[in-house]
PDB file of all heavy atoms in Angstrom:
ATOM      1  N   GLN A  15      22.759 -40.049 -35.999  1.00 87.00           N
ATOM      2  CA  GLN A  15      21.496 -39.348 -35.805  1.00 87.00           C
ATOM      3  C   GLN A  15      20.424 -39.746 -36.826  1.00 87.00           C
ATOM      4  O   GLN A  15      19.253 -39.489 -36.603  1.00 87.00           O
ATOM      5  CB  GLN A  15      21.686 -37.818 -35.832  1.00 87.00           C
ATOM      6  CG  GLN A  15      22.054 -37.221 -37.165  1.00 87.00           C
ATOM      7  CD  GLN A  15      23.570 -37.225 -37.408  1.00 87.00           C
ATOM      8  OE1 GLN A  15      24.315 -37.848 -36.656  1.00 87.00           O
ATOM      9  NE2 GLN A  15      23.996 -36.507 -38.410  1.00 87.00           N
ATOM     10  N   GLY A  16      20.813 -40.371 -37.907  1.00 86.00           N
ATOM     11  CA  GLY A  16      19.882 -40.864 -38.921  1.00 86.00           C
ATOM     12  C   GLY A  16      19.376 -39.726 -39.803  1.00 86.00           C
ATOM     13  O   GLY A  16      19.918 -38.622 -39.806  1.00 86.00           O
ATOM     14  N   MET A  17      18.324 -40.055 -40.562  1.00 88.00           N
ATOM     15  CA  MET A  17      17.792 -39.095 -41.529  1.00 88.00           C
ATOM     16  C   MET A  17      16.289 -39.337 -41.687  1.00 88.00           C
ATOM     17  O   MET A  17      15.828 -40.421 -41.609  1.00 88.00           O
ATOM     18  CB  MET A  17      18.472 -39.275 -42.847  1.00 88.00           C
ATOM     19  CG  MET A  17      18.025 -38.304 -43.935  1.00 88.00           C
ATOM     20  SD  MET A  17      18.970 -38.447 -45.477  1.00 88.00           S
ATOM     21  CE  MET A  17      20.422 -37.516 -45.032  1.00 88.00           C
ATOM     22  N   SER A  18      15.579 -38.231 -41.864  1.00 90.00           N
ATOM     23  CA  SER A  18      14.117 -38.318 -42.001  1.00 90.00           C
ATOM     24  C   SER A  18      13.831 -38.962 -43.361  1.00 90.00           C
ATOM     25  O   SER A  18      14.613 -38.882 -44.324  1.00 90.00           O
ATOM     26  CB  SER A  18      13.469 -36.974 -41.898  1.00 90.00           C
ATOM     27  OG  SER A  18      13.778 -36.182 -43.032  1.00 90.00           O
ATOM     28  N   LEU A  19      12.679 -39.540 -43.473  1.00 89.00           N
ATOM     29  CA  LEU A  19      12.270 -40.256 -44.667  1.00 89.00           C
ATOM     30  C   LEU A  19      12.188 -39.289 -45.848  1.00 89.00           C
ATOM     31  O   LEU A  19      12.626 -39.610 -46.925  1.00 89.00           O
ATOM     32  CB  LEU A  19      10.912 -40.946 -44.445  1.00 89.00           C
ATOM     33  CG  LEU A  19      10.308 -41.667 -45.640  1.00 89.00           C
ATOM     34  CD1 LEU A  19      11.215 -42.780 -46.080  1.00 89.00           C
ATOM     35  CD2 LEU A  19       8.913 -42.188 -45.284  1.00 89.00           C
ATOM     36  N   GLN A  20      11.629 -38.093 -45.632  1.00 92.00           N
ATOM     37  CA  GLN A  20      11.494 -37.127 -46.719  1.00 92.00           C
ATOM     38  C   GLN A  20      12.832 -36.699 -47.252  1.00 92.00           C
ATOM     39  O   GLN A  20      13.038 -36.608 -48.462  1.00 92.00           O
ATOM     40  CB  GLN A  20      10.698 -35.959 -46.263  1.00 92.00           C
ATOM     41  CG  GLN A  20      10.320 -35.003 -47.376  1.00 92.00           C
ATOM     42  CD  GLN A  20       9.396 -35.659 -48.427  1.00 92.00           C
ATOM     43  OE1 GLN A  20       8.625 -36.521 -48.133  1.00 92.00           O
ATOM     44  NE2 GLN A  20       9.582 -35.221 -49.665  1.00 92.00           N
ATOM     45  N   LYS A  21      13.791 -36.419 -46.403  1.00 91.00           N
ATOM     46  CA  LYS A  21      15.129 -36.022 -46.815  1.00 91.00           C
ATOM     47  C   LYS A  21      15.812 -37.155 -47.545  1.00 91.00           C
ATOM     48  O   LYS A  21      16.510 -36.938 -48.536  1.00 91.00           O
ATOM     49  CB  LYS A  21      15.971 -35.559 -45.601  1.00 91.00           C
ATOM     50  CG  LYS A  21      15.606 -34.213 -45.130  1.00 91.00           C
ATOM     51  CD  LYS A  21      16.607 -33.805 -44.045  1.00 91.00           C
ATOM     52  CE  LYS A  21      16.299 -32.401 -43.567  1.00 91.00           C
ATOM     53  NZ  LYS A  21      17.259 -31.970 -42.553  1.00 91.00           N
ATOM     54  N   LEU A  22      15.639 -38.373 -47.037  1.00 91.00           N
ATOM     55  CA  LEU A  22      16.245 -39.521 -47.682  1.00 91.00           C
ATOM     56  C   LEU A  22      15.693 -39.675 -49.120  1.00 91.00           C
ATOM     57  O   LEU A  22      16.450 -39.947 -50.060  1.00 91.00           O
ATOM     58  CB  LEU A  22      15.973 -40.782 -46.853  1.00 91.00           C
ATOM     59  CG  LEU A  22      16.575 -42.123 -47.354  1.00 91.00           C
ATOM     60  CD1 LEU A  22      18.086 -42.015 -47.409  1.00 91.00           C
ATOM     61  CD2 LEU A  22      16.147 -43.233 -46.476  1.00 91.00           C
ATOM     62  N   ILE A  23      14.382 -39.556 -49.240  1.00 92.00           N
ATOM     63  CA  ILE A  23      13.758 -39.668 -50.598  1.00 92.00           C
ATOM     64  C   ILE A  23      14.359 -38.564 -51.501  1.00 92.00           C
ATOM     65  O   ILE A  23      14.676 -38.842 -52.659  1.00 92.00           O
ATOM     66  CB  ILE A  23      12.246 -39.534 -50.495  1.00 92.00           C
ATOM     67  CG1 ILE A  23      11.649 -40.807 -49.814  1.00 92.00           C
ATOM     68  CG2 ILE A  23      11.591 -39.302 -51.840  1.00 92.00           C
ATOM     69  CD1 ILE A  23      10.211 -40.633 -49.408  1.00 92.00           C
ATOM     70  N   LEU A  24      14.464 -37.356 -51.053  1.00 91.00           N
ATOM     71  CA  LEU A  24      14.999 -36.273 -51.891  1.00 91.00           C
ATOM     72  C   LEU A  24      16.429 -36.527 -52.247  1.00 91.00           C
ATOM     73  O   LEU A  24      16.868 -36.255 -53.405  1.00 91.00           O
ATOM     74  CB  LEU A  24      14.831 -34.931 -51.195  1.00 91.00           C
ATOM     75  CG  LEU A  24      13.395 -34.430 -51.072  1.00 91.00           C
ATOM     76  CD1 LEU A  24      13.320 -33.150 -50.285  1.00 91.00           C
ATOM     77  CD2 LEU A  24      12.768 -34.241 -52.457  1.00 91.00           C
ATOM     78  N   HIS A  25      17.238 -37.003 -51.319  1.00 90.00           N
ATOM     79  CA  HIS A  25      18.659 -37.306 -51.636  1.00 90.00           C
ATOM     80  C   HIS A  25      18.760 -38.429 -52.655  1.00 90.00           C
ATOM     81  O   HIS A  25      19.587 -38.314 -53.593  1.00 90.00           O
ATOM     82  CB  HIS A  25      19.409 -37.682 -50.358  1.00 90.00           C
ATOM     83  CG  HIS A  25      19.868 -36.533 -49.543  1.00 90.00           C
ATOM     84  ND1 HIS A  25      20.866 -35.686 -49.880  1.00 90.00           N
ATOM     85  CD2 HIS A  25      19.425 -36.066 -48.358  1.00 90.00           C
ATOM     86  CE1 HIS A  25      21.041 -34.743 -48.993  1.00 90.00           C
ATOM     87  NE2 HIS A  25      20.147 -34.993 -48.020  1.00 90.00           N
TER      88      HIS A  25
END
Side-chain angles (χ1 to χ4, degrees):
Q15 67 272 13
M17 181 175 279
S18 71
L19 178 62
Q20 189 62 32
K21 284 186 178 181
L22 182 62
I23 290 170
L24 289 176
H25 279 287

